[in-house]
Amino acid sequence: MAQNREFGNRKLHSLLGVVPIGLFLIFHLTVNYMATKGADTFNAAVHLIEFTPIKIVVEFVVIYLPLIFHAVYGIYIAFTAKNNLGRFNFFRNWMFFLQRVSGIITLIFLIWHVYTTRIQAALGAEVNFDMMATIFSSPFMIVFYIVGLLSTVFHFANGLWSFSVSWGLTVSPKSQKIMTYITLVVFLVLSYIGLRAIFAFV
Amino acid sequence: MAETKTKTVRFEISRQDTPDSDPYIEVFELDYRPNMNVISALMEIRRNPVTVDGKTTTPISWDMNCLEEVCGACSMVINGKPRQSCTALIDQLEQPIRLSPMRTFPVVRDLQVDRSRMFDSLKKVKAWIPIDGTYNLGPGPRMPEKKRQWAYELSKCMTCGVCLEACPNVNSSSDFIGPSALSQVRLFNAHPTGEMNRSDRLNAIMGDGGLANCGNSQNCVQSCPKGIPLTTSIASLNRDTTLQSFRNFFGSDQV
């Protein structure tokens, strides 16, 4: 098996995008949504998460390590493709292209996002409503976060579609088409939740 | 009342003298004849290889064989789309007609490419049914008619290379074997006798450059001249290899 790593790596890449990264994304956006109920509700939710047992281990196992593998291998996948939208202007080819573009945008966004929040928290800053409100005091950051959010949610929703193909859940063209509609709903719902949260801080 | 100017057909053809030299474009103009196709036009140019500027050039090199879209040899990129030149009718093409080789493959000369990698892939995935024994094994099991009907569609593959040319993940920086050979694995695994070696084929496509390289752009199924459900084959194999990987890991009594 030593030289045949690709199958396992690709499958792991696909799985990690949904479990745990996708689940964490939904959890994260749900917590953010508390901001729409006011600063106190949001601060209480954040405070609750701070009491996660062995928090640093959970963070590494559930978030950082899966995310780093997914990102590094994803960059490799994105740059081995030779996009040909000009010659093959099909819907799925667009999704293929956008999946790779959104992956890169999401990575850039996440590096900045983790630096300004989690790393600042590690350096002693307190994560609360005011921290986010300060970040969103700049119009550029609002735009940056909206782009980052939409790109992340698109990457997750469309990734859910290719996950279901890659693992053999949706085989027939009809099942794949139904999955296209389901993932579209996922994209719209998560985008709504995320955008509501962003504008709660503004 | 004879027409002073006859109707003509204009071709912009990508030429390449050797596998390593740079390609260049030559333009040809032919008199229109009814029911022309790209191959008959190329034959006409071969008869009289003179460009639109009056320069005598070398005849164009291209591959062809059956002339009825079942052999796959005459595939080339016509007006940006990879397809067979034998069924590319001039009446249905926008002019000027642009011809170039399928550059996913090594170009031998002009429009002629080397599709060896596809035939190597068929060997790699064991796209055949072993029926030899040291004694007469007798007739094989029967195939259900319903299964035979969809499997027949997969058997129409002529290894033409259009799906590889359309696939964004088949290129010089990837060793992906492409959709056609994968679909053949589904065909031979569907056969009641071929099924006896299913895990050999599944393990072959689980190797490097195999099935997992598919990025689901689904260009292949849109481009296949034979309408083969390539992406259904790929998704079905995804299911089979997922189960096979569990069997490999945990051990199983399945063949």
Side-chain angles (χ1 to χ4, degrees):
Chain A
M1 290 292 275
Q3 68 273 42
N4 278 351
R5 302 289 279 277
E6 202 168 58
F7 183 84
N9 282 344
R10 286 267 186 168
K11 278 280 192 282
L12 185 63
H13 176 83
S14 176
L15 179 66
L16 291 179
V18 178
V19 182
I21 302 171
L23 290 181
F24 172 70
L25 175 68
I26 294 172
F27 169 75
H28 189 349
L29 292 178
T30 310
V31 173
N32 294 353
Y33 192 75
M34 305 290 172
T36 61
K37 304 283 175 256
D40 292 341
T41 319
F42 179 76
N43 287 340
V46 172
H47 204 55
L48 202 64
I49 297 165
E50 279 170 357
F51 287 115
T52 306
I54 48 168
K55 185 162 137 273
I56 191 77
V57 179
V58 173
E59 278 178 311
F60 267 93
V61 174
V62 177
I63 308 169
Y64 307 144
L65 294 179
L67 206 52
I68 288 169
F69 176 85
H70 192 84
V72 171
Y73 201 67
I75 291 171
Y76 165 74
I77 291 175
F79 286 99
T80 47
K82 195 175 146 206
N83 282 288
N84 50 16
L85 281 170
R87 285 164 59 199
F88 303 95
N89 193 9
F90 304 125
F91 171 70
R92 271 292 146 209
N93 201 21
W94 270 102
M95 293 297 113
F96 174 91
F97 173 69
L98 290 176
Q99 185 69 1
R100 278 141 189 79
V101 172
S102 64
I104 301 295
I105 295 175
T106 303
L107 179 60
I108 295 167
F109 169 70
L110 280 186
I111 290 171
W112 177 252
H113 176 59
V114 170
Y115 173 75
T116 51
T117 56
R118 183 61 187 87
I119 292 181
Q120 295 309 312
L123 297 176
E126 199 193 335
V127 178
N128 54 23
F129 191 92
D130 293 339
M131 179 193 223
M132 293 316 295
T134 313
I135 289 175
F136 285 124
S137 59
S138 125
F140 171 77
M141 285 321 276
I142 297 175
V143 174
F144 184 63
Y145 264 73
I146 290 173
V147 171
L149 170 84
L150 293 179
S151 153
T152 310
V153 171
F154 173 84
H155 193 80
F156 170 62
N158 191 48
L160 212 53
W161 184 89
S162 21
F163 170 87
S164 61
V165 175
S166 296
W167 284 83
L169 303 174
T170 51
V171 171
S172 68
K174 190 173 179 181
S175 64
Q176 293 181 2
K177 194 168 192 165
I178 292 172
M179 197 60 187
T180 303
Y181 293 124
I182 293 176
T183 52
L184 177 66
V185 171
V186 170
F187 172 73
L188 294 175
V189 169
L190 289 182
S191 297
Y192 170 78
I193 294 174
L195 288 173
R196 278 290 306 274
I198 288 179
F199 287 108
F201 292 111
V202 177
Chain B
M1 287 301 194
E3 283 183 58
T4 47
K5 195 170 186 322
T6 49
K7 204 172 153 191
T8 59
V9 188
R10 198 179 171 89
F11 282 90
E12 291 178 12
I13 302 177
S14 169
R15 308 285 313 260
Q16 185 171 334
D17 297 338
T18 67
D20 303 317
S21 62
D22 292 331
Y24 56 95
I25 301 281
E26 273 185 350
V27 182
F28 299 87
E29 211 161 75
L30 305 177
D31 287 342
Y32 173 84
R33 280 184 290 122
N35 305 322
M36 265 178 127
N37 65 7
V38 167
I39 288 203
S40 71
L42 286 170
M43 286 171 161
E44 190 62 32
I45 295 171
R46 181 166 65 183
R47 226 159 53 87
N48 181 30
V50 177
T51 69
V52 71
D53 312 321
K55 191 185 103 192
T56 304
T57 180
T58 50
I60 294 156
S61 175
W62 80 96
D63 248 343
M64 61 172 171
N65 188 20
C66 75
L67 305 182
E68 54 182 4
E69 205 187 81
V70 288
C71 79
C74 69
S75 311
M76 58 183 70
V77 179
I78 301 170
N79 285 349
K81 298 270 181 234
R83 56 184 295 190
Q84 280 69 54
S85 45
C86 62
T87 44
L89 305 179
I90 302 298
D91 290 334
Q92 295 167 3
L93 291 171
E94 195 181 306
Q95 288 201 42
I97 297 166
R98 290 168 288 118
L99 305 181
S100 57
M102 295 194 296
R103 292 213 165 83
T104 295
F105 300 94
V107 176
V108 177
R109 184 178 175 147
D110 296 338
L111 302 172
Q112 193 183 352
V113 295
D114 179 4
R115 288 177 297 136
S116 301
R117 60 171 292 173
M118 295 189 77
F119 305 110
D120 292 339
S121 299
L122 290 175
K123 291 180 207 162
K124 216 180 286 176
V125 305
K126 303 177 205 293
W128 60 80
I129 295 173
I131 52 165
D132 292 335
T134 51
Y135 60 95
N136 185 358
L137 298 172
R142 276 172 53 91
M143 189 171 194
E145 173 59 17
K146 275 189 179 167
K147 200 178 194 182
R148 185 201 64 76
Q149 284 184 5
W150 65 253
Y152 180 70
E153 297 303 317
L154 307 186
S155 74
K156 287 180 180 172
C157 178
M158 51 191 182
T159 327
C160 69
V162 165
C163 58
L164 271 72
E165 176 73 15
C167 179
N169 273 0
V170 176
N171 58 55
S172 49
S173 55
S174 121
D175 52 1
F176 183 30
I177 60 172
S180 64
L182 295 174
S183 187
Q184 291 302 297
V185 169
R186 181 164 174 243
L187 170 65
F188 286 103
N189 280 359
H191 189 279
T193 306
E195 202 182 357
M196 296 172 186
N197 302 82
R198 68 193 297 274
S199 63
D200 295 340
R201 296 192 197 90
L202 292 179
N203 280 316
I205 58 169
M206 287 158 73
D208 287 347
L211 178 67
N213 277 262
C214 171
N216 299 305
S217 80
Q218 303 206 335
N219 286 350
C220 55
V221 75
Q222 302 269 8
S223 307
C224 177
K226 291 288 148 189
I228 299 171
L230 293 163
T231 49
T232 310
S233 286
I234 288 173
S236 162
L237 291 168
N238 275 326
R239 181 177 289 182
D240 292 345
T241 51
T242 299
L243 296 174
Q244 184 65 38
S245 67
F246 295 155
R247 287 190 204 108
N248 290 350
F249 187 80
F250 295 110
S252 165
D253 58 354
Q254 301 282 310
V255 288

